[in-house]
Amino acid sequence: MLTDNKPQKIPFYQTLTKRAVILFISLFLLSESSAVSAGNYGLKIVQNLETTQQNNTRAEAEKLTNEGLQLFEKGTAESLTKARQKWQAALILWEKLGDKLLQANTVLGIGIVYSDLGEKQKALSYFNQALPLFRAVANKGGEAMTLAYISGVYSDLGEKQKALSYLNQALPLYRAVDNKGGEATILNNIGLVYNDLGEKQKALSYYNQALPLRRTLGDRGGEATTLNNIGGVYADLGEKQKALSYLNQALPLYRAVGDKGGEATTLNNIGKVYDDYEN
């Protein structure tokens, strides 16, 4: 049995990069009329004060969010814990401002941290809070991403049918927003679940749908992963030459993108195929 790569997950920093633009634009939505009459001067002072307070709150929320991102990208247990704390503080402010989209993004990020730290039930709790928030603002991309992360947790917990259910909900959403990268990842992950369930032909079908998308996108790392997974299925089916063909296609791609872990896994898998030849 070859070593399968774990289901690939969409990096949270992609969401945060877009969020910075949303925050920047939102600052300009607080514009107000410059015409002030004597009759509403007192009211205008109150409005200006409220606007200033909102701006200060938004600036602090943005600062906490960005600090959390920098800590998150370090990837250590300590930095992830600190990132979570930053985002939890930011979440209180986004809730105060009533910004559901940024609440959703922040809740999703906290869930990802818990998942990365191995606290799967807490991760699920946050993902299930993010889902209705993304739906409330009709953000299909965020909804799809959240569904993908939920599927990953269920897969890690060994609940493969639940994982498959959430992947099948995410797939049409990624297609609806024309996110080819997300679509390819979901197709690959559906293949992984079917492989884990022992349904090898279904696994191959989904891998073979993911592969051309990844090639079209120029995603060499993703292409390598799918090629490696296809090679694993063929090895399990006893088709050693086909297995070697796909694994040998994956190897230079992993090397090209500097993925030492993927390279090591593929080399190990090639070795196992040759070992099976001799036994």
Side-chain angles (χ1 to χ4, degrees), residues 238-258:
E239 298 189 46
K240 308 300 183 186
Q241 284 297 334
K242 280 189 176 180
L244 284 174
S245 172
Y246 282 95
L247 292 170
N248 282 319
Q249 290 177 64
L251 192 56
L253 292 170
Y254 276 131
R255 286 171 173 162
V257 298

PDB file of all heavy atoms in Angstrom, residues 238-258:
ATOM      1  N   GLY A 238      -2.247  -3.443  -8.787  1.00  0.00           N
ATOM      2  CA  GLY A 238      -1.280  -4.410  -9.317  1.00  0.00           C
ATOM      3  C   GLY A 238      -0.723  -4.044 -10.673  1.00  0.00           C
ATOM      4  O   GLY A 238       0.002  -4.842 -11.278  1.00  0.00           O
ATOM      5  N   GLU A 239      -1.022  -2.813 -11.152  1.00  0.00           N
ATOM      6  CA  GLU A 239      -0.518  -2.375 -12.463  1.00  0.00           C
ATOM      7  C   GLU A 239       0.766  -1.576 -12.240  1.00  0.00           C
ATOM      8  O   GLU A 239       0.782  -0.342 -12.253  1.00  0.00           O
ATOM      9  CB  GLU A 239      -1.583  -1.556 -13.185  1.00  0.00           C
ATOM     10  CG  GLU A 239      -2.867  -2.358 -13.462  1.00  0.00           C
ATOM     11  CD  GLU A 239      -3.844  -1.619 -14.358  1.00  0.00           C
ATOM     12  OE1 GLU A 239      -3.402  -1.067 -15.385  1.00  0.00           O
ATOM     13  OE2 GLU A 239      -5.035  -1.582 -14.018  1.00  0.00           O
ATOM     14  N   LYS A 240       1.852  -2.326 -12.057  1.00  0.00           N
ATOM     15  CA  LYS A 240       3.110  -1.730 -11.608  1.00  0.00           C
ATOM     16  C   LYS A 240       3.711  -0.762 -12.621  1.00  0.00           C
ATOM     17  O   LYS A 240       4.252   0.283 -12.255  1.00  0.00           O
ATOM     18  CB  LYS A 240       4.127  -2.831 -11.280  1.00  0.00           C
ATOM     19  CG  LYS A 240       3.614  -3.913 -10.325  1.00  0.00           C
ATOM     20  CD  LYS A 240       3.190  -3.347  -8.982  1.00  0.00           C
ATOM     21  CE  LYS A 240       2.744  -4.470  -8.039  1.00  0.00           C
ATOM     22  NZ  LYS A 240       2.199  -3.937  -6.779  1.00  0.00           N
ATOM     23  N   GLN A 241       3.659  -1.120 -13.903  1.00  0.00           N
ATOM     24  CA  GLN A 241       4.251  -0.239 -14.917  1.00  0.00           C
ATOM     25  C   GLN A 241       3.519   1.101 -14.987  1.00  0.00           C
ATOM     26  O   GLN A 241       4.159   2.153 -15.113  1.00  0.00           O
ATOM     27  CB  GLN A 241       4.242  -0.936 -16.287  1.00  0.00           C
ATOM     28  CG  GLN A 241       5.314  -2.001 -16.449  1.00  0.00           C
ATOM     29  CD  GLN A 241       6.719  -1.427 -16.352  1.00  0.00           C
ATOM     30  OE1 GLN A 241       6.958  -0.252 -16.641  1.00  0.00           O
ATOM     31  NE2 GLN A 241       7.665  -2.246 -15.921  1.00  0.00           N
ATOM     32  N   LYS A 242       2.186   1.056 -14.926  1.00  0.00           N
ATOM     33  CA  LYS A 242       1.427   2.313 -14.920  1.00  0.00           C
ATOM     34  C   LYS A 242       1.745   3.118 -13.668  1.00  0.00           C
ATOM     35  O   LYS A 242       1.875   4.350 -13.717  1.00  0.00           O
ATOM     36  CB  LYS A 242      -0.074   2.027 -14.997  1.00  0.00           C
ATOM     37  CG  LYS A 242      -0.583   1.706 -16.397  1.00  0.00           C
ATOM     38  CD  LYS A 242      -2.091   1.659 -16.429  1.00  0.00           C
ATOM     39  CE  LYS A 242      -2.611   1.438 -17.848  1.00  0.00           C
ATOM     40  NZ  LYS A 242      -4.091   1.388 -17.902  1.00  0.00           N
ATOM     41  N   ALA A 243       1.862   2.419 -12.552  1.00  0.00           N
ATOM     42  CA  ALA A 243       2.195   3.106 -11.297  1.00  0.00           C
ATOM     43  C   ALA A 243       3.526   3.832 -11.435  1.00  0.00           C
ATOM     44  O   ALA A 243       3.648   5.022 -11.096  1.00  0.00           O
ATOM     45  CB  ALA A 243       2.248   2.106 -10.151  1.00  0.00           C
ATOM     46  N   LEU A 244       4.536   3.145 -11.958  1.00  0.00           N
ATOM     47  CA  LEU A 244       5.851   3.753 -12.116  1.00  0.00           C
ATOM     48  C   LEU A 244       5.815   4.928 -13.087  1.00  0.00           C
ATOM     49  O   LEU A 244       6.487   5.938 -12.884  1.00  0.00           O
ATOM     50  CB  LEU A 244       6.861   2.710 -12.598  1.00  0.00           C
ATOM     51  CG  LEU A 244       7.347   1.716 -11.537  1.00  0.00           C
ATOM     52  CD1 LEU A 244       8.222   0.646 -12.182  1.00  0.00           C
ATOM     53  CD2 LEU A 244       8.127   2.431 -10.437  1.00  0.00           C
ATOM     54  N   SER A 245       5.013   4.800 -14.150  1.00  0.00           N
ATOM     55  CA  SER A 245       4.910   5.877 -15.136  1.00  0.00           C
ATOM     56  C   SER A 245       4.423   7.166 -14.485  1.00  0.00           C
ATOM     57  O   SER A 245       5.003   8.243 -14.704  1.00  0.00           O
ATOM     58  CB  SER A 245       3.960   5.462 -16.260  1.00  0.00           C
ATOM     59  OG  SER A 245       3.710   6.552 -17.124  1.00  0.00           O
ATOM     60  N   TYR A 246       3.382   7.077 -13.663  1.00  0.00           N
ATOM     61  CA  TYR A 246       2.836   8.281 -13.025  1.00  0.00           C
ATOM     62  C   TYR A 246       3.754   8.800 -11.919  1.00  0.00           C
ATOM     63  O   TYR A 246       3.938  10.019 -11.775  1.00  0.00           O
ATOM     64  CB  TYR A 246       1.433   7.996 -12.478  1.00  0.00           C
ATOM     65  CG  TYR A 246       0.387   8.013 -13.558  1.00  0.00           C
ATOM     66  CD1 TYR A 246      -0.025   6.837 -14.177  1.00  0.00           C
ATOM     67  CD2 TYR A 246      -0.182   9.205 -13.988  1.00  0.00           C
ATOM     68  CE1 TYR A 246      -0.976   6.844 -15.196  1.00  0.00           C
ATOM     69  CE2 TYR A 246      -1.135   9.230 -14.998  1.00  0.00           C
ATOM     70  CZ  TYR A 246      -1.525   8.053 -15.603  1.00  0.00           C
ATOM     71  OH  TYR A 246      -2.459   8.081 -16.615  1.00  0.00           O
ATOM     72  N   LEU A 247       4.343   7.900 -11.159  1.00  0.00           N
ATOM     73  CA  LEU A 247       5.250   8.334 -10.097  1.00  0.00           C
ATOM     74  C   LEU A 247       6.484   9.023 -10.678  1.00  0.00           C
ATOM     75  O   LEU A 247       6.972  10.009 -10.116  1.00  0.00           O
ATOM     76  CB  LEU A 247       5.660   7.133  -9.242  1.00  0.00           C
ATOM     77  CG  LEU A 247       4.534   6.513  -8.392  1.00  0.00           C
ATOM     78  CD1 LEU A 247       4.988   5.188  -7.783  1.00  0.00           C
ATOM     79  CD2 LEU A 247       4.071   7.468  -7.298  1.00  0.00           C
ATOM     80  N   ASN A 248       6.973   8.500 -11.783  1.00  0.00           N
ATOM     81  CA  ASN A 248       8.150   9.103 -12.417  1.00  0.00           C
ATOM     82  C   ASN A 248       7.826  10.441 -13.082  1.00  0.00           C
ATOM     83  O   ASN A 248       8.733  11.246 -13.331  1.00  0.00           O
ATOM     84  CB  ASN A 248       8.758   8.134 -13.429  1.00  0.00           C
ATOM     85  CG  ASN A 248       9.577   7.042 -12.752  1.00  0.00           C
ATOM     86  OD1 ASN A 248      10.304   7.301 -11.803  1.00  0.00           O
ATOM     87  ND2 ASN A 248       9.451   5.810 -13.234  1.00  0.00           N
ATOM     88  N   GLN A 249       6.553  10.694 -13.371  1.00  0.00           N
ATOM     89  CA  GLN A 249       6.151  12.028 -13.837  1.00  0.00           C
ATOM     90  C   GLN A 249       6.065  13.007 -12.665  1.00  0.00           C
ATOM     91  O   GLN A 249       6.339  14.202 -12.817  1.00  0.00           O
ATOM     92  CB  GLN A 249       4.783  11.957 -14.531  1.00  0.00           C
ATOM     93  CG  GLN A 249       4.760  11.243 -15.869  1.00  0.00           C
ATOM     94  CD  GLN A 249       3.351  11.170 -16.424  1.00  0.00           C
ATOM     95  OE1 GLN A 249       2.726  12.186 -16.732  1.00  0.00           O
ATOM     96  NE2 GLN A 249       2.822   9.957 -16.548  1.00  0.00           N
ATOM     97  N   ALA A 250       5.672  12.494 -11.510  1.00  0.00           N
ATOM     98  CA  ALA A 250       5.507  13.356 -10.330  1.00  0.00           C
ATOM     99  C   ALA A 250       6.848  13.837  -9.792  1.00  0.00           C
ATOM    100  O   ALA A 250       6.983  14.983  -9.348  1.00  0.00           O
ATOM    101  CB  ALA A 250       4.748  12.606  -9.237  1.00  0.00           C
ATOM    102  N   LEU A 251       7.855  12.972  -9.838  1.00  0.00           N
ATOM    103  CA  LEU A 251       9.131  13.240  -9.177  1.00  0.00           C
ATOM    104  C   LEU A 251       9.800  14.543  -9.636  1.00  0.00           C
ATOM    105  O   LEU A 251      10.151  15.390  -8.790  1.00  0.00           O
ATOM    106  CB  LEU A 251      10.069  12.046  -9.377  1.00  0.00           C
ATOM    107  CG  LEU A 251      11.344  12.020  -8.527  1.00  0.00           C
ATOM    108  CD1 LEU A 251      11.018  12.100  -7.039  1.00  0.00           C
ATOM    109  CD2 LEU A 251      12.137  10.747  -8.834  1.00  0.00           C
ATOM    110  N   PRO A 252       9.989  14.764 -10.954  1.00  0.00           N
ATOM    111  CA  PRO A 252      10.651  16.021 -11.358  1.00  0.00           C
ATOM    112  C   PRO A 252       9.818  17.265 -11.058  1.00  0.00           C
ATOM    113  O   PRO A 252      10.379  18.358 -10.872  1.00  0.00           O
ATOM    114  CB  PRO A 252      10.853  15.840 -12.871  1.00  0.00           C
ATOM    115  CG  PRO A 252       9.841  14.822 -13.279  1.00  0.00           C
ATOM    116  CD  PRO A 252       9.710  13.898 -12.110  1.00  0.00           C
ATOM    117  N   LEU A 253       8.509  17.115 -10.997  1.00  0.00           N
ATOM    118  CA  LEU A 253       7.651  18.255 -10.667  1.00  0.00           C
ATOM    119  C   LEU A 253       7.839  18.665  -9.212  1.00  0.00           C
ATOM    120  O   LEU A 253       7.926  19.859  -8.898  1.00  0.00           O
ATOM    121  CB  LEU A 253       6.185  17.914 -10.942  1.00  0.00           C
ATOM    122  CG  LEU A 253       5.814  17.743 -12.417  1.00  0.00           C
ATOM    123  CD1 LEU A 253       4.401  17.176 -12.554  1.00  0.00           C
ATOM    124  CD2 LEU A 253       5.906  19.069 -13.158  1.00  0.00           C
ATOM    125  N   TYR A 254       7.884  17.682  -8.313  1.00  0.00           N
ATOM    126  CA  TYR A 254       8.156  17.996  -6.902  1.00  0.00           C
ATOM    127  C   TYR A 254       9.518  18.666  -6.757  1.00  0.00           C
ATOM    128  O   TYR A 254       9.691  19.619  -5.987  1.00  0.00           O
ATOM    129  CB  TYR A 254       8.116  16.727  -6.048  1.00  0.00           C
ATOM    130  CG  TYR A 254       6.729  16.317  -5.609  1.00  0.00           C
ATOM    131  CD1 TYR A 254       6.275  15.005  -5.761  1.00  0.00           C
ATOM    132  CD2 TYR A 254       5.865  17.235  -5.006  1.00  0.00           C
ATOM    133  CE1 TYR A 254       5.020  14.623  -5.343  1.00  0.00           C
ATOM    134  CE2 TYR A 254       4.606  16.855  -4.587  1.00  0.00           C
ATOM    135  CZ  TYR A 254       4.184  15.551  -4.753  1.00  0.00           C
ATOM    136  OH  TYR A 254       2.932  15.175  -4.344  1.00  0.00           O
ATOM    137  N   ARG A 255      10.509  18.166  -7.508  1.00  0.00           N
ATOM    138  CA  ARG A 255      11.838  18.757  -7.437  1.00  0.00           C
ATOM    139  C   ARG A 255      11.835  20.191  -7.973  1.00  0.00           C
ATOM    140  O   ARG A 255      12.509  21.074  -7.434  1.00  0.00           O
ATOM    141  CB  ARG A 255      12.827  17.893  -8.212  1.00  0.00           C
ATOM    142  CG  ARG A 255      13.176  16.597  -7.480  1.00  0.00           C
ATOM    143  CD  ARG A 255      13.986  15.638  -8.330  1.00  0.00           C
ATOM    144  NE  ARG A 255      14.438  14.497  -7.545  1.00  0.00           N
ATOM    145  CZ  ARG A 255      14.867  13.338  -8.070  1.00  0.00           C
ATOM    146  NH1 ARG A 255      14.894  13.185  -9.393  1.00  0.00           N
ATOM    147  NH2 ARG A 255      15.257  12.357  -7.287  1.00  0.00           N
ATOM    148  N   ALA A 256      11.057  20.412  -9.026  1.00  0.00           N
ATOM    149  CA  ALA A 256      11.008  21.737  -9.651  1.00  0.00           C
ATOM    150  C   ALA A 256      10.443  22.796  -8.716  1.00  0.00           C
ATOM    151  O   ALA A 256      10.848  23.958  -8.755  1.00  0.00           O
ATOM    152  CB  ALA A 256      10.182  21.684 -10.934  1.00  0.00           C
ATOM    153  N   VAL A 257       9.484  22.392  -7.858  1.00  0.00           N
ATOM    154  CA  VAL A 257       8.867  23.361  -6.942  1.00  0.00           C
ATOM    155  C   VAL A 257       9.509  23.329  -5.555  1.00  0.00           C
ATOM    156  O   VAL A 257       9.087  24.038  -4.648  1.00  0.00           O
ATOM    157  CB  VAL A 257       7.337  23.121  -6.821  1.00  0.00           C
ATOM    158  CG1 VAL A 257       6.666  23.320  -8.156  1.00  0.00           C
ATOM    159  CG2 VAL A 257       7.019  21.733  -6.252  1.00  0.00           C
ATOM    160  N   GLY A 258      10.548  22.487  -5.397  1.00  0.00           N
ATOM    161  CA  GLY A 258      11.266  22.439  -4.129  1.00  0.00           C
ATOM    162  C   GLY A 258      10.498  21.805  -2.987  1.00  0.00           C
ATOM    163  O   GLY A 258      10.747  22.115  -1.817  1.00  0.00           O
TER     164      GLY A 258
END
